[in-house]
Amino acid sequence: MTIYNYIALKNNKDIVKGKVEASDLREARSSILKLGFIPTKVYEEKSKADEAKQSKSISKGKMQKLGLQDKMDFTSTMQILAQSGIPIIESLMFIENDAAKLKVRLVAKELRRQIMAGATFADTIAKYPEQFGQIYIGLCKAGEDSGELEKTLERLLELQTKEANIRGKVIGTLMYPMFVIVLAIIIVLVMLMFVFPVFKEMFDGMGKELPWITATLMSAGIFLKTYWFFAPIILGSIFGGATFLYRWQPSKRKIDEYVLKVPLLTDLIQFSNFANFIAVMQVAYDAGVPIIECLYLANMTLTNHTLKTKVETATLKVQQGQHLSVALRSTNVMPKMILFMIATGEQSGRLGDMLLQATSFIDKKLDGIIDTMTKMIEPIMLIVIGSIVLVLALALYLPLFNSYMAD
């Protein structure tokens, strides 16, 4: 048997504290109810050493931004416990004590503290947009207002799972070309720094002018072998410069605009963006959020600046009284099948169902695009590797061929 501490309400107004002995948490709650109290917090009594250790570890931490997997773990636990009829405070206590990551325990501790002080769950998480994000906060607010927080948590978990799947598919598609590019860079550096300098004396002994491609690569190899520390500096500068250009808003806007003009790549960008957009729209709409707020929440998922700007313009048109499908059609960036489904949903009064169908359609379309890109990437990478090998081989053997032909 285990001893459980509890905090409960007596006559729905007086707070009482005590201890009960039970085999598990459920039995402890039942024992408290038999005493005529309403339990608000029940937890296993720990030794002083355990409590001091946990208090010390939590006090050292600071509130950090939750990653997608962290939010999924938090939401999943909250949804399971809520479905089991366990109050929010006890659910947060469980996460605070047993979550695998310290930052999740810190968040749960702070949320529990504020809720016990009289705040609601939605109002409390609204104070931490960096940890949860505006979409999470908005949907929880709608779920709490409608009395369907448990169902909203389930929808949020589905939404996060979908986002993780999309992210995994896109990253998985890009992993192969990135690996090939890194491998190609390593091969080129090894050839330039260690192979080309070995041939220098032999080429000098021929007494003939080297082809420009050989001379260029030979000079680069000798330079890198002498000043080898420039190699990581150059690679780091290229990577840092590319990262800066992608994050710097003026250049990012140009990049986002350009990628929408590249065949197939534009389909990947559009469908990966609108997959999350429509999913959030559907979840928010089912949670009872007004259509304008649905659009604002969904627009936060768009990562492409061009798409985001055009949808913001459509949102303003809807706010002015225009139909959703008409406003989105004016953007000229949303797939026509999605527009047709939204228009059908508006006319039939089944917008939520049609948004759900649109989500399934986008998922299937995105899978097809990713499969096509994966099949195209393989021959493209072979061509790239083959071209690199050809250039290096020509640089090494052209002087030999020229010498042979001259003789």
Side-chain angles (χ1 to χ4, degrees):
M1 302 291 281
T2 307
I3 297 176
Y4 288 87
N5 293 323
Y6 69 85
I7 299 174
L9 291 176
K10 181 180 180 181
N11 300 326
N12 288 326
K13 58 179 181 178
D14 298 327
I15 298 177
V16 295
K17 298 180 179 180
K19 299 180 180 182
V20 293
E21 193 173 4
S23 58
D24 55 29
L25 183 61
R26 185 178 294 275
E27 183 180 334
R29 295 183 75 251
S30 299
S31 299
I32 297 168
L33 289 171
K34 290 177 181 178
L35 294 174
F37 303 148
I38 299 176
T40 59
K41 178 181 175 184
V42 182
Y43 56 97
E44 182 180 342
E45 186 175 59
K46 295 186 177 181
S47 66
K48 292 183 178 180
D50 291 339
E51 290 179 353
K53 184 178 179 181
Q54 182 182 10
S55 176
K56 184 177 179 180
S57 65
I58 291 180
S59 62
K60 288 182 178 180
K62 293 183 178 180
M63 295 282 279
Q64 299 177 13
K65 183 178 180 180
L66 298 179
L68 179 57
Q69 188 59 51
D70 298 328
K71 286 191 286 188
M72 287 177 65
D73 294 340
F74 177 86
T75 306
S76 175
T77 304
M78 288 292 293
Q79 188 269 328
I80 292 171
L81 295 177
Q83 194 173 27
S84 302
I86 298 175
I88 287 180
I89 292 178
E90 291 186 35
S91 301
L92 291 171
M93 173 62 74
F94 175 82
I95 296 174
E96 179 184 338
N97 292 331
D98 297 304
K101 294 186 179 180
L102 174 61
K103 58 183 177 180
V104 179
R105 298 202 301 272
L106 288 170
V107 169
K109 178 184 178 182
E110 185 60 25
L111 294 181
R112 179 184 61 81
R113 185 185 67 79
Q114 296 195 33
I115 292 173
M116 288 185 67
T120 64
F121 178 73
D123 289 340
T124 304
I125 65 172
K127 298 177 183 178
Y128 304 101
E130 291 187 1
Q131 280 71 30
F132 292 95
Q134 293 297 337
I135 297 173
Y136 197 103
I137 293 169
L139 292 176
C140 283
K141 176 66 175 174
E144 200 167 62
D145 290 344
S146 62
E148 295 183 342
L149 183 59
E150 176 189 329
K151 187 177 291 186
T152 300
L153 288 172
E154 184 177 355
R155 292 167 178 161
L156 274 169
L157 184 59
E158 293 175 357
L159 193 64
Q160 291 165 348
T161 304
K162 177 182 175 62
E163 182 181 352
N165 290 338
I166 294 173
R167 185 180 298 181
K169 290 175 183 177
V170 174
I171 292 176
T173 304
L174 299 177
M175 281 296 291
Y176 176 68
M178 290 302 297
F179 173 77
V180 172
I181 290 172
V182 171
L183 182 62
I185 291 173
I186 294 173
I187 292 173
V188 170
L189 288 175
V190 170
M191 290 289 292
L192 290 178
M193 296 172 66
F194 300 103
V195 177
F196 275 85
V198 173
F199 285 81
K200 184 178 186 304
E201 293 184 4
M202 184 178 68
F203 291 157
D204 290 343
M206 294 179 180
K208 295 182 179 180
E209 185 178 355
L210 296 176
W212 68 269
I213 186 172
T214 305
T216 302
L217 294 180
M218 186 71 69
S219 299
I222 295 172
F223 175 82
L224 288 175
K225 187 174 182 179
T226 306
Y227 304 99
W228 58 268
F229 50 85
F230 272 102
I233 293 175
I234 294 172
L235 293 175
S237 299
I238 293 173
F239 178 78
T243 303
F244 172 77
L245 288 175
Y246 186 75
R247 292 182 177 179
W248 189 43
Q249 287 303 314
S251 57
K252 185 180 185 305
R253 292 171 185 173
K254 290 294 183 182
I255 294 172
D256 287 346
E257 183 179 353
Y258 174 75
V259 294
L260 291 176
K261 299 176 182 179
V262 180
L264 192 61
L265 188 58
T266 182
D267 290 337
L268 178 65
I269 299 297
Q270 281 185 328
F271 279 95
S272 60
N273 273 263
F274 285 123
N276 288 325
F277 178 89
I278 296 297
V280 171
M281 277 276 294
Q282 184 262 323
V283 171
Y285 186 81
D286 284 350
V289 178
I291 194 66
I292 298 297
E293 293 185 28
C294 289
L295 283 169
Y296 278 118
L297 291 174
N299 203 31
M300 293 178 186
T301 66
L302 298 178
T303 57
N304 184 279
H305 182 269
T306 302
L307 297 179
K308 192 178 186 72
T309 302
K310 291 189 175 184
V311 173
E312 284 175 352
T313 303
T315 303
L316 292 176
K317 293 180 179 179
V318 175
Q319 198 168 7
Q320 294 168 0
Q322 198 170 80
H323 286 293
L324 175 63
S325 57
V326 176
L328 292 176
R329 189 179 297 276
S330 66
T331 63
N332 294 320
V333 292
M334 185 167 284
K336 293 182 180 179
M337 178 61 76
I338 304 302
L339 293 171
F340 177 74
M341 290 181 175
I342 292 175
T344 304
E346 283 185 308
Q347 294 172 5
S348 62
R350 297 171 53 244
L351 182 58
D353 293 338
M354 295 311 295
L355 287 172
L356 184 60
Q357 294 296 324
T359 301
S360 300
F361 168 78
I362 290 180
D363 288 345
K364 294 178 182 178
K365 190 73 175 178
L366 187 60
D367 287 340
I369 293 170
I370 290 175
D371 288 342
T372 303
M373 288 196 68
T374 302
K375 293 176 182 177
M376 289 183 62
I377 285 173
E378 292 180 3
I380 290 174
M381 289 297 101
L382 288 175
I383 292 173
V384 170
I385 293 294
S387 300
I388 293 173
V389 171
L390 178 62
V391 169
L392 294 174
L394 285 175
L396 287 175
Y397 289 105
L398 272 178
L400 299 176
F401 290 152
N402 291 340
S403 177
Y404 176 77
M405 294 297 292
D407 293 341

